[in-house]
Structure formats: structure tokens, C-alpha cells
Amino acid sequence: MATFADWVEGARVRTLPAAAAPVLVGTGAAYDLGSGSVVRALLAGGVALTLQVGVNFANDYSDGVRGTDDVRTGPPRLTGSGAAPPGTVRLAAFASFGLAAVLGLVLCALAGTWWLVAVGALCVVAAWYYTGGRTPYGYRGLGEVGVFVFFGLVATLGTTYTQALTVSWAAVAGAVGIGLIACALLMVNNVRDIPTDTVAGKRTLAVRLGDRRARLGYVAMVAVPLVLAVALAPAHPWALLTLLLVPVVVRLARVVLGGARGRELILVLRDTGLLELGYGVLLGLGLVL
């Protein structure tokens, strides 16, 4: 029987700091537009966090029942390891999605943006079919597309829009930056799993690119967001605060390009999540100041 610690591990807490990043940037952009709201920001954060947990449990369930997780180089999964029944893990995923839906409805009601309910429903569908259903798009090398759109553009711009009822170019640039780092999280996770995913027939983007090009892709994904922040500097000089993250990006790039595997990449995964959180804090602050 799965312990509480097993469920915490199943929620993949290393990825959770990234859930706050789009909300921080989106809220910073809203304050820059003169319409920030702490209450709506907290609700958006709740939606982002519960969706992230739901995605993690959904992936655990779907990969587990397909047998993709029978052999893993990373931490054991709830379903694949047999620690929890598949139905229970699936229920945890949909409970998380349900809580996200409730928080999203409250947010839309406060903002008067009911059309965003349809966008939220699409987010849940995309979260489930990443590895779920008969033809999961995550198994076809399209996972990064979904992450960029939903955990980058939609999460960031949705946060701004529910507070300011408009978006700005700063919000768009921040959304792209957040989306790229979120993709880097997925990329480094999949680089670690290239050997087992190849055997299981899971054709992630990392598998399609091959080990070396996937690692180069990761470096681009963590470096370009800093370039975007510099591009915002003429109008938002404090966006240059994000350059404090240059040493972190350089260190992560060296580790990944140096051929890190297994446990080392698990640490890179954790630190990439923290990098996304740091980017959200610094760019969000830079847009407010």
C-alpha cells in the first residue's frame, strides 16, 4: 500500500515550483497594466498547482497501465511500481482536475471572463491526453508543444487577462519565456528516459532528436528566456533582474551537455523547476517596478 511519502513523490514535487512561475509573471504584467489583484492571482495559482498535480498523477496512471514505467531510471511511479491501484491513481488525477475546475470557475466569476471556462476545459483535456487515450500526443513527440501552449502561454496570459482584461507585449514575452523553461523541464526528464522510452515505443521529442540534440535543445530552452527578458529592458529596465539567473543557467547547461545521466538528471530536473520559479519571481518583480 502506498504511503503518504509515496503519494508526495507521485505528485512529483520537484515540478511544482514551476506552477507558480506563470502566475507570477502574469500578475506582474497585470500590475504593470495598472490592474493587479492578489485574490485573483492566488486563485490562478491554485488552478496552476492543481492542474500540475493532476497532470503528474494522470501521467503516472497512463504510463503505468501501458507498461512504459515497468523499467525506470528515475524515481518509481505509483502505478508502475504497484504501490497503488491504477484506479486510485486515476481518481487522484481527476480529483486534482476537479479542484482546478472549481477554482477556475471562481476566478472566471470574479473576472467576468466566462469564455475562459472553455479554455480551462481544453487544458484538462490536453492534460489527460498527453499520455492518456488511444493515441497520446506525448508519445508522438508533441509533449513540448502542449506544455508550451498550456503551461506557458495560457497560464501566463490567462493570469494577466483575468486581472487586467487585456494583455501586453511584456506579458507575451514573459509567457514565451515561461513556456520554454517549462518545456526544458519536460525535455530533461525525457532525456533521462530515452533508453526506456525507446524500448517502450514512447517517441518523445527527446527520443526523436536523439541524446545530443535533445541536450542542446534543453540548453536553448533555458537560455532564450533570458534573452527575452533583456529585450524587455528598454521599456522595463528592472527585467534585467533575471540576469541574476545566468550562473544557474550556465551550470545547468554544463551538467546537461557534459553527459549527465540518471541521478544527476533528476537533480537537473529539480533545479530547472527552481529556475522557472526564480525566473517568474524576478521577471514578475521587474514588470511591477
Side-chain angles (χ1 to χ4, degrees):
M1 181 177 294
T3 64
F4 177 76
D6 291 330
W7 283 102
V8 171
E9 184 64 48
R12 302 180 71 184
V13 294
R14 294 179 183 85
T15 67
L16 298 186
V23 177
L24 292 168
V25 173
T27 300
Y31 272 99
D32 179 52
L33 290 166
S35 301
S37 167
V38 173
V39 172
R40 296 182 193 182
L42 290 174
L43 284 168
V47 172
L49 179 63
T50 49
L51 272 178
Q52 181 70 60
V53 172
V55 168
N56 292 340
F57 282 136
N59 292 347
D60 187 304
Y61 165 78
S62 296
D63 284 343
V65 297
R66 280 192 169 86
T68 307
D69 286 339
D70 288 350
V71 179
R72 280 182 57 79
T73 56
R77 296 285 187 87
L78 292 164
T79 307
S81 68
T88 304
V89 179
R90 181 178 58 190
L91 180 61
F94 279 100
S96 299
F97 292 148
L99 181 55
V102 171
L103 294 173
L105 286 171
V106 174
L107 178 58
C108 288
L110 288 177
T113 54
W114 289 107
W115 63 274
L116 284 177
V117 172
V119 177
L122 186 60
C123 288
V124 173
V125 170
W128 178 256
Y129 284 101
Y130 168 59
T131 55
R134 293 184 178 180
T135 56
Y137 65 89
Y139 279 52
R140 302 167 69 182
L142 298 174
E144 281 77 5
V145 175
V147 166
F148 180 78
V149 171
F150 293 103
F151 287 94
L153 302 183
V154 171
T156 307
L157 298 179
T159 297
T160 302
Y161 193 84
T162 53
Q163 295 179 49
L165 298 182
T166 187
V167 296
S168 61
W169 283 113
V172 172
V176 172
I178 288 292
L180 287 173
I181 304 178
C183 288
L185 270 169
L186 180 58
M187 180 65 82
V188 74
N189 181 76
N190 290 341
V191 165
R192 184 196 66 200
D193 293 338
I194 285 177
T196 53
D197 284 346
T198 301
V199 172
K202 188 175 180 180
R203 301 284 292 170
T204 63
L205 182 59
V207 171
R208 290 180 178 275
L209 290 174
D211 185 86
R212 184 62 181 174
R213 286 188 292 177
R215 291 173 186 269
L216 289 170
Y218 168 85
V219 172
M221 290 171 181
V222 295
V224 170
L226 298 182
V227 176
L228 290 170
V230 171
L232 288 173
H236 301 87
W238 285 102
L240 293 177
L241 283 170
T242 57
L243 295 183
L244 293 172
L245 298 171
V246 168
V248 179
V249 170
V250 170
R251 178 176 60 82
L252 290 173
R254 285 178 174 172
V255 172
V256 172
L257 293 180
R261 300 185 183 280
R263 176 65 180 171
E264 290 178 293
L265 288 181
I266 295 174
L267 295 177
V268 171
L269 178 65
R270 179 202 65 190
D271 291 347
T272 305
L274 294 174
L275 170 67
E276 186 173 355
L277 177 60
Y279 186 81
V281 170
L282 294 174
L283 183 56
L285 183 61
L287 295 178
V288 172
L289 294 176

